[in-house]
Amino acid sequence: MTQLRQDSTEEDPAAEPEEPRSSVDRFFRITRRGSTVGRELRGGITTFVAMSYIVLLNPLILGSSQDVTGASLGNAELTTATALCAGLMTVLMGVVGNAPLAMAAGLGVIPVVAFTVAPEMTWAQAMGLVVLEGLCIVVMAVSGIRERIINAIPLPLKTALTVGIGLYIALVGMVSAGFVSRQPDAAETDVPVQLGPNGHLLGWPLGLFCLTLLLMIVLVARKVPGAILISIVSGTVLSVVTNAVFDVPAEQWGRTTPDLPSSLVATPDFGLFGDIDLFGGFVNAGVLAATVFLFTLVLSGFFDAMGTITSVGNEAGLTNSQGKVQGMGRILLVDGAGAVAGGVTGSSPNTVFLESAAGVAEGARTGLASVVSGALFAATMLFTPLAAVVPAQAAAPALVLVGGMMMAQVRNIPWSDEDFVIPVFLTVAIIPFTYSITNGVGAGLISYCAIKICKGRIRELGWLLSILSLVFALYFGVEGIKAVFGVS
């Protein structure tokens, strides 16, 4: 641990740091990073509130799938596993990584586990494959390969990641709240999305979403401390009252109806903990299929985390002039361990969450905010009913606002450099359009390398970027590869 703390001397503050006020201040470097304990507490709470939906969403996704034997996972055990792993890994990120990054089951990987891996093997074997994914990422982190890959990516493409992720989380927020919805297939139109449920804003929940978003915008513009948290709490209270008075149909709220719970405490169910089979999946699904599954999990977890760490670290002021995040090696190590822990607990791979940016916007700059978020996740195991009170219409405005703030990084992109214009555009556009950070990174890197090669400047790429482009080409062509080898 001493060595880990010494590594943080790579920080390069612009001025002489103030004298630390306490042991907590010294350990987390709160004053050095221009923060206060109060800001860290607010940021940690805000991050938890913004991403607490995962405690409900992960069980919903995993519980809706069946493994090869037809078995399904129970809601209570999935909820406990989700909260337990998120709590442990987020605290570990705070203590070891000293970064305001919260961790939980990754939304980009959960569907892969639920609908691609599990149907081909048992749940225990699927979670065993998740553990192997995490071990692969940990090895890359410990060896320094993962950090070298991240540092090899040009700064404009890293900046494009921040911008693309800003659009992505804003869209996620709007979709979660019902402000944007998918155009029904029966409409026979080329327009894929629409405003509200039918092209118009309809219903109390959408009205409360708009009101909460406006409140948040005003409070942030006036630099009110705790603006995001105040807005989320206010939106939740209004939602509870509105639902009680007007008896709003549950389908208008979406996944979470803001009803006061009949009981505040629930008993945790640790039934999934340790239920893993490391190599059984290679027997059940076949070596080639299981290898492809493992490759997909590693690639998705690797680059989704890279984009999130880079963009949130940039927003928190933890990057240097080359766009390198302070303490990246330790952060990547904990992130890799999150995948291992996700498999062991049965919650699917855990990774850093984009919603950490909400806490950063509230002032979080150190790992103390993550310790707070992690403690709240751990407490959620006992107070699961309370987590079900906050509707998306109250929490989603934070995603929209933070997405807008992250978009401001577009000013740092060298638009006059023709080598970057199209790769940056593809990165920014494909991330929200495909709901995948990995797809955006891949498209940006492949197009960037193609431009350099066509201009006869392949030496500027370096061997690492060239290999990454080939890997992404394989990633995009994985279905074709499976078809060639007869893998369904």
Side-chain angles (χ1 to χ4, degrees):
M1 183 62 70
T2 301
Q3 181 61 44
L4 290 176
R5 302 313 308 165
Q6 288 175 345
D7 285 349
S8 57
T9 54
E10 61 195 51
E11 299 175 12
D12 50 350
E16 282 297 316
E18 298 178 28
E19 191 67 27
R21 298 183 176 88
S22 66
S23 57
V24 172
D25 194 333
R26 286 193 297 273
F27 184 84
F28 289 106
R29 298 176 174 262
I30 297 173
T31 300
R32 177 184 286 271
R33 292 187 180 178
S35 185
T36 65
V37 172
R39 290 178 188 169
E40 297 301 312
L41 292 176
R42 285 201 310 271
I45 295 172
T46 300
T47 294
F48 167 75
V49 172
M51 61 184 284
S52 60
Y53 67 87
I54 194 63
V55 178
L56 304 171
L57 187 56
N58 188 40
L60 179 67
I61 298 174
L62 288 179
S64 64
S65 180
Q66 297 179 337
D67 68 8
V68 71
T69 67
S72 298
L73 301 179
N75 185 73
E77 57 186 0
L78 282 171
T79 300
T80 298
T82 303
L84 171 65
C85 197
L88 290 176
M89 295 314 304
T90 300
V91 169
L92 193 63
M93 177 63 77
V95 175
V96 177
N98 193 22
L101 295 165
M103 296 181 65
L107 281 175
V109 191
I110 297 171
V112 177
V113 176
F115 306 116
T116 301
V117 180
E120 302 297 328
M121 57 188 73
T122 67
W123 282 111
Q125 292 164 353
M127 292 304 166
L129 211 60
V130 168
V131 171
L132 292 177
E133 173 221 342
L135 291 175
C136 290
I137 294 177
V138 167
V139 169
M140 287 191 289
V142 171
S143 64
I145 294 175
R146 192 178 185 189
E147 187 170 2
R148 281 197 290 272
I149 290 174
I150 291 175
N151 292 337
I153 297 176
L155 183 57
L157 292 184
K158 292 181 183 177
T159 304
L161 269 178
T162 301
V163 177
I165 289 173
L167 284 172
Y168 176 34
I169 64 174
L171 179 59
V172 168
M174 292 180 185
V175 171
S176 299
F179 187 82
V180 171
S181 65
R182 193 177 81 161
Q183 190 82 290
D185 296 335
E188 297 182 359
T189 174
D190 293 331
V191 181
V193 293
Q194 62 185 354
L195 180 68
N198 57 1
H200 302 280
L201 297 180
L202 180 66
W204 284 104
L206 282 179
L208 288 169
F209 165 77
C210 295
L211 184 61
T212 304
L213 179 58
L214 286 174
L215 173 63
M216 197 174 289
I217 291 171
V218 170
L219 293 181
V220 169
R222 293 184 62 84
K223 302 185 184 303
V224 176
I228 295 177
L229 183 58
I230 290 172
S231 300
I232 292 175
V233 172
S234 300
T236 300
V237 172
L238 284 174
S239 297
V240 170
V241 173
T242 300
N243 190 57
V245 173
F246 297 100
D247 193 24
V248 181
E251 59 269 17
Q252 290 190 16
W253 291 109
R255 295 187 181 96
T256 304
T257 301
D259 291 322
L260 289 177
S262 57
S263 174
L264 299 180
V265 181
T267 303
D269 182 348
F270 298 99
L272 294 177
F273 191 88
D275 185 16
I276 58 173
D277 180 352
L278 284 179
F279 302 106
F282 290 89
V283 177
N284 241 350
V287 174
L288 180 59
T291 302
V292 171
F293 292 154
L294 181 60
F295 173 75
T296 304
L297 287 171
V298 170
L299 205 60
S300 297
F302 187 107
F303 284 99
D304 278 14
M306 185 202 76
T308 302
I309 293 169
T310 301
S311 58
V312 176
N314 192 33
E315 286 296 306
L318 302 181
T319 55
N320 60 21
S321 57
Q322 284 76 46
K324 298 180 181 179
V325 178
Q326 299 163 10
M328 177 64 93
R330 300 188 305 277
I331 293 173
L332 293 177
L333 178 61
V334 177
D335 180 73
V340 177
V344 172
T345 58
S347 63
S348 77
N350 274 227
T351 186
V352 290
F353 251 61
L354 289 171
E355 283 80 353
S356 301
V360 169
E362 199 58 66
R365 295 294 181 271
T366 75
L368 179 58
S370 296
V371 172
V372 173
S373 299
L376 291 172
F377 267 117
T380 303
M381 287 191 295
L382 297 174
F383 300 97
T384 305
L386 285 180
V389 174
V390 182
Q393 289 76 11
L399 302 183
V400 177
L401 184 73
V402 171
M405 291 178 174
M406 294 172 71
M407 277 287 295
Q409 294 295 326
V410 74
R411 66 182 181 276
N412 298 320
I413 294 174
W415 294 108
S416 59
D417 190 336
E418 60 185 11
D419 288 358
F420 286 110
V421 174
I422 297 303
V424 163
F425 166 74
L426 289 175
T427 301
V428 171
I430 289 177
I431 288 175
F433 288 168
T434 65
Y435 259 52
S436 170
I437 298 172
T438 302
N439 290 346
V441 174
L445 282 179
I446 289 175
S447 58
Y448 175 72
C449 290
I451 289 173
K452 289 294 187 182
I453 292 172
C454 289
K455 285 188 170 185
R457 294 157 62 181
I458 190 172
R459 290 185 178 180
E460 294 181 16
L461 294 175
W463 64 271
L464 205 50
L465 278 186
S466 300
I467 291 177
L468 279 178
S469 294
L470 290 175
V471 169
F472 271 113
L474 291 173
Y475 168 74
F476 287 126
V478 67
E479 290 302 319
I481 295 172
K482 289 167 64 177
V484 169
F485 287 95
V487 180
S488 59

